[in-house]
Amino acid sequence: KNSVRKDLGQRFYPVSMVRYLFHGTSEEAILSIINSDTAGFQPLLSGTTTGAIYGDGTYFARDASYSLDYSCVLPTGQRQMLVAEVVVGLYTAGSQGMKTYPLL
């Protein structure tokens, strides 16, 4: 968020550009996202397990129900997913196999 704030300067509006979104993934991936030397989401690794139906990238959802099918199941039967603070901006529909972001 701070690097985006620096890049955008006065055009950065946290109220409309920052959202808390859900991300469902495996327990191993959760631990890697949180604890690895490169802690955080690694877009180059995205889709390695579940595919990338809308193109390569890290997927987030506004509603937990969308991430539920991708979340890990704990021994207790509960599901675990991440809630991440995400800087959002313009968006477009992607497609499978898309490797670069389309110009908007």
Side-chain angles (χ1 to χ4, degrees):
K1 180 168 76 172
N2 290 331
S3 65
V4 173
R5 181 188 314 266
K6 181 181 174 187
D7 290 346
L8 293 179
Q10 292 182 351
R11 295 177 296 148
F12 180 70
Y13 301 104
V15 172
S16 62
M17 297 176 83
V18 178
R19 297 276 187 263
Y20 287 97
L21 301 173
F22 297 95
H23 180 77
T25 190
S26 68
E27 185 175 8
E28 179 183 327
I30 288 174
L31 293 173
S32 176
I33 291 165
I34 294 170
N35 298 320
S36 73
D37 292 340
T38 56
F41 294 94
Q42 301 298 318
L44 294 177
L45 298 177
S46 62
T48 53
T49 302
T50 58
I53 198 165
Y54 297 109
D56 289 353
T58 304
Y59 291 69
F60 297 96
R62 181 191 65 206
D63 301 314
S65 60
Y66 290 112
S67 297
L68 188 64
D69 289 341
Y70 303 98
S71 63
C72 64
V73 180
L74 300 175
T76 62
Q78 295 176 307
R79 292 192 168 267
Q80 183 176 13
M81 65 180 74
L82 295 170
V83 177
E85 188 176 38
V86 180
V87 176
V88 298
L90 299 175
Y91 62 90
T92 187
S95 61
Q96 195 166 20
M98 185 181 281
K99 299 289 184 191
T100 60
Y101 303 112
L103 297 176
L104 298 177

